[in-house]
Amino acid sequence: MKLKSYKNNQWQQIYNGCTRWFIRSFKNHNLPVFILLVVVTAFLCVTAFPVAATIETQNIAIGVSIQNPTAQTQDLLQQGKVLYEAGQFAEAVKVLQQAVKSFGSQGNELQQAVALSNLALAYQKLGNLPPAQQAITDSLKLLEKSSNSQNLQVLAPILDIQGSIQLDLGQAEQALNTWQRAEVSYKQLGDRNGIIRDRINQAQAWQILGFYRRALTILTQLQQELQSKPNSVSKAVELRSFGNALQLAGDLNQSRQVLQQSLSIAQKLDSPQDVSAALFSLGNTAQVQQDFKGAIQFYQQAAAIAPHPISKVQAQVNQLNLLVNAGQTAAVQTLLPQIQTQLAQLPASVTTIYAQINLAQSLMKFGTTPEAIAQICARALQQAENLADKRAESFALGTLGSVYEQTKQWSIAQNLTQQALNIAQTINAPDIAYRWHWQLGRLLKQQGEIEGAIASYDTAIGELQTLRSDLVVVNRDVQFSFKESVEPVYRESVELLLQFQQTHPSEPILDKARQRIEALQLAELDDFFREACINAKTVLLDTVVDKDNPTAAIVYPIILPDRLQVIVKIPKQPLRNYTVNKPQNEVEGTIKQLREYLLEPDRNEEVQALSQEVYGWLIKEIESDLKDSGVKTLVFVLDGILRNVPMAILYDGQQYLVEKYAVALSLGLQLLALKPLTQTKLNVLAAGLMQPPQGFQQQFPPLPEIKSEFDSISQAIASTTQLLDRDFNSKNLESKVNTVPFNVLHLATHGQFSSNVENTFILANDGPINVTQFDSLLRRRDRTRSEALEMLVLSACQTATGDNRATLGLAGASVKAGARSTLASLWHISDKSTAILIGEFYRELVKNEVTKAEALRRAQIKLLKDYPNYSRPGYWAPYVLVGNWL
């Protein structure tokens, strides 16, 4: 099918236009601010993939008196405000430039500074950051010439704008300092609303800088202050902004509570605009929580009460997207004509453009004809060109390129994609550029230009690396945002590299593919925690196996759509790889079935059969080389669903893998230098809970054998501090963590690992301790004690049922604890067998001075061979060692 030569389309604005741009505008819908003499107007950016935000407008008087400007100049400012609010930013720039000149000729520096700040905002909206930065700098210079109360009233909102522009430029630290300075000005003015807004901005800057807990502390303090304020429209707006910030921070339950409060206040005050906006934000949060039914209802209600047509359309477009994803064809066909009719009647604006782009993206998934989608995108592109909005123009062109990609018109698609990329580079927007580099890579691959495609993927991933802190703050849903917009870039790149390797064998290419898979794992953790969580120096594992531990080999299985690729590092040998001709769906089906059988008591034969199949994939090809090289430990850097089964149970037909090798897992990254545990005296802090607290007793069974587990630890290690049952609460744990010298933290309690950070926790007597709270607790220890945490042991935790990415939570707990190693269970089993295994593990570790991986192997063999009741793999196999295996 041939498409007409439409000049635009953009399906992925949605996500990309929401990386840094979403952060800058969503960080607080009160920023950026538009100042018109005495009025500050705040705007919230539009995003649409996977969760769309709405535009909210708030007018806040700042009390600047007018120094008799001419009526004409005043009219120019009013025109600029109207054009800005209509999304006609290029026209607003022209008018505001005239206003700046007019105020300058009058010698009215205060109003000239205000006009310049408005001009900066308009430039910012166009994505023209250098002139925006210059305008805001000139504005502040004019204010600094004299100091009076009028200047102070203007200074704070102008500083808000400067902070927003700085964040757009990637200058998060400067933005933070600017907002702190603005807060000081608001304090001098006694403006509590301004102080609250700036603190929300600061919290987002702290998060981008990687200080997640500090950001959350600020937000928590703000919540307490907001609760004490009387109900007002201002309070409803501030609570909504706070709820949106909590959503970005990943505190989704709290976000929903705060947004419900904002909704309740807006309803009591009979403010339809604020009711609709709160419902819209609730829809966003529900969607991130994967409560799609609830999100649809919120969007439906938001549209029904929205006083402005564009707000109604935005809510309906979001609703449509969820209906498409849910396969509700009839509901989509009912809603779609309403959206199309309303969009056709709306005036051109940036908001309208992105609503159309969001609609186009939804329709691409719905199977609408390419011609129809191209028409929608063509209109969006035309409007973007008319408004001189380069960001929107880039998105529209790139999206149109993706439509031509779908119809296999490669050269036209490439031309449109290159145009979109050129614009993104011109306005210095890596959040958009990575998308088009990725798309260009796909198109070049289709045309057989493999080396050019590899280069495009390399550049796309380079852009993602520069965006790392920004991407993790972006509103996301694990299953749709990261999975659809970031992970494929890495995976397709690896697939391309390994394809090229087949015809151009090269160890550097293998190394690049391996490093890219490691980088994907790091990106997954960033996405899991919503912050760039690993910034320490890493140790190259090749150096470890070639020099420090030459009896260990590293195995990298990589799941590709049509095959399983395995890269292997054997000590003092070059990298090698081999291919298993098993498509992704077969690999995943086998692993899923194996995991299910492992949990069933009467499936031992099936477990061995499936384990033998996986052994054939991963080990059989190299087993003779492993034996010849004297390998004793296998370190797996696992990909995808492979993480859900323990490698120890792989079966060669006669023996399990653990009977021949010690087994460990790695992210492929080491935060701290590897150090054998045998060189360290062990001090254990052990906390355990035999009886789950009220509210969790139906979900989790008692663990009566924890006392014997603790006794066996004490017998092996003299230096042990214990917190048991009532003594094991979050307050006591924090106290002991900060006062007791320990290098092993052993937690014998129920817990859960999940792909959702909110559902990853350990259970104390006073309730669950979330993984981020756990992180905060251990970070405080790091500030007061230099002793490294050698090992974290989680002896009764489990991965969430049915969650194929739950091991992210396990890896996350390890990383956030700052532990060199983590020993944990993938599923909960008999606490009697746990007590035996844990006791054996510590005895082997101390008495025989073996590595942690070898100590675990011997403990597992003990259960397998000496305890007939626990010889089934379901009892001994779930324990995995993550990190430093020495």
Side-chain angles (χ1 to χ4, degrees), residues 640-653:
I641 198 171
L642 288 168
R643 303 172 192 150
N644 285 4
V645 296
M647 293 294 103
I649 52 93
L650 300 190
Y651 191 65
D652 68 0

Side-chain angles (χ1 to χ4, degrees), residues 180-483:
Q180 288 172 336
R181 184 182 167 197
E183 182 187 350
V184 171
S185 297
Y186 282 125
K187 284 179 178 176
Q188 290 176 290
L189 293 168
D191 185 345
R192 296 304 302 171
N193 292 340
I195 292 169
I196 290 171
R197 291 194 305 273
D198 268 309
R199 285 183 179 169
I200 291 175
N201 294 341
Q202 290 169 39
Q204 297 303 318
W206 278 120
Q207 190 176 352
I208 291 171
L209 289 168
F211 294 91
Y212 174 85
R213 302 308 305 174
R214 188 173 297 189
L216 207 56
T217 297
I218 291 173
L219 294 175
T220 302
Q221 292 169 347
L222 285 173
Q223 183 182 21
Q224 295 169 355
E225 181 172 347
L226 284 169
Q227 297 304 331
S228 64
K229 293 180 66 175
N231 287 352
S232 65
V233 170
S234 176
K235 181 177 179 179
V237 171
E238 288 162 358
L239 283 169
R240 187 167 70 245
S241 183
F242 178 45
N244 292 337
L246 285 168
Q247 179 193 352
L248 288 176
D251 195 345
L252 302 179
N253 291 332
Q254 188 67 22
S255 169
R256 198 157 181 168
Q257 291 175 17
V258 170
L259 290 171
Q260 286 283 6
Q261 188 180 358
S262 173
L263 172 63
S264 176
I265 293 171
Q267 288 171 330
K268 289 175 183 176
L269 297 173
D270 194 23
S271 174
Q273 177 177 343
D274 293 298
V275 170
S276 179
L279 287 165
F280 195 100
S281 289
L282 280 164
N284 292 345
T285 296
Q287 187 172 350
V288 175
Q289 290 179 307
Q290 300 184 45
D291 175 13
F292 301 124
K293 183 178 179 181
I296 289 172
Q297 291 174 347
F298 282 129
Y299 290 139
Q300 195 169 26
Q301 294 171 43
I305 200 170
H308 304 301
I310 185 58
S311 300
K312 182 183 182 72
V313 167
Q314 285 176 303
Q316 289 178 324
V317 169
N318 278 14
Q319 181 186 346
L320 183 84
N321 187 51
L322 290 179
L323 292 171
V324 168
N325 290 338
Q328 297 186 31
T329 302
V332 171
Q333 291 172 338
T334 299
L335 185 59
L336 180 57
Q338 300 174 37
I339 295 173
Q340 291 173 318
T341 300
Q342 291 172 101
L343 274 174
Q345 296 172 351
L346 286 171
S349 70
V350 172
T351 313
T352 309
I353 293 168
Y354 288 130
Q356 291 173 101
I357 288 167
N358 190 9
L359 176 62
Q361 188 273 338
S362 296
L363 294 180
M364 288 174 77
K365 292 187 289 184
F366 187 59
T368 302
T369 63
E371 290 91 345
I373 300 171
Q375 287 175 354
I376 295 170
C377 296
R379 184 168 182 259
L381 176 58
Q382 187 62 56
Q383 291 176 348
E385 290 176 336
N386 292 342
L387 297 177
D389 189 319
K390 292 298 182 183
R391 291 185 66 90
E393 187 179 346
S394 177
F395 281 133
L397 281 164
T399 305
L400 189 58
S402 70
V403 175
Y404 279 98
E405 179 186 11
Q406 285 196 340
T407 59
K408 300 183 179 181
Q409 298 179 63
W410 311 124
S411 60
I412 300 174
Q414 184 175 337
N415 180 268
L416 289 165
T417 304
Q418 189 63 58
Q419 290 182 55
L421 178 58
N422 292 342
I423 293 173
Q425 292 173 326
T426 299
I427 61 174
N428 189 29
D431 55 314
I432 312 174
Y434 100 82
R435 175 72 62 177
W436 309 142
H437 280 298
W438 173 26
Q439 187 161 296
L440 193 59
R442 297 196 305 269
L443 292 167
L444 290 169
K445 178 186 175 184
Q446 289 293 342
Q447 296 172 83
E449 298 180 34
I450 303 301
E451 292 185 66
I454 288 173
S456 290
Y457 272 97
D458 288 349
T459 307
I461 288 170
E463 299 279 20
L464 281 171
Q465 296 299 324
T466 66
L467 287 168
R468 184 177 167 198
S469 293
D470 289 351
L471 282 172
V472 296
V473 181
V474 173
N475 191 2
R476 65 94 171 108
D477 175 310
V478 169
Q479 299 302 322
F480 296 96
S481 171
F482 182 87
K483 290 287 286 182

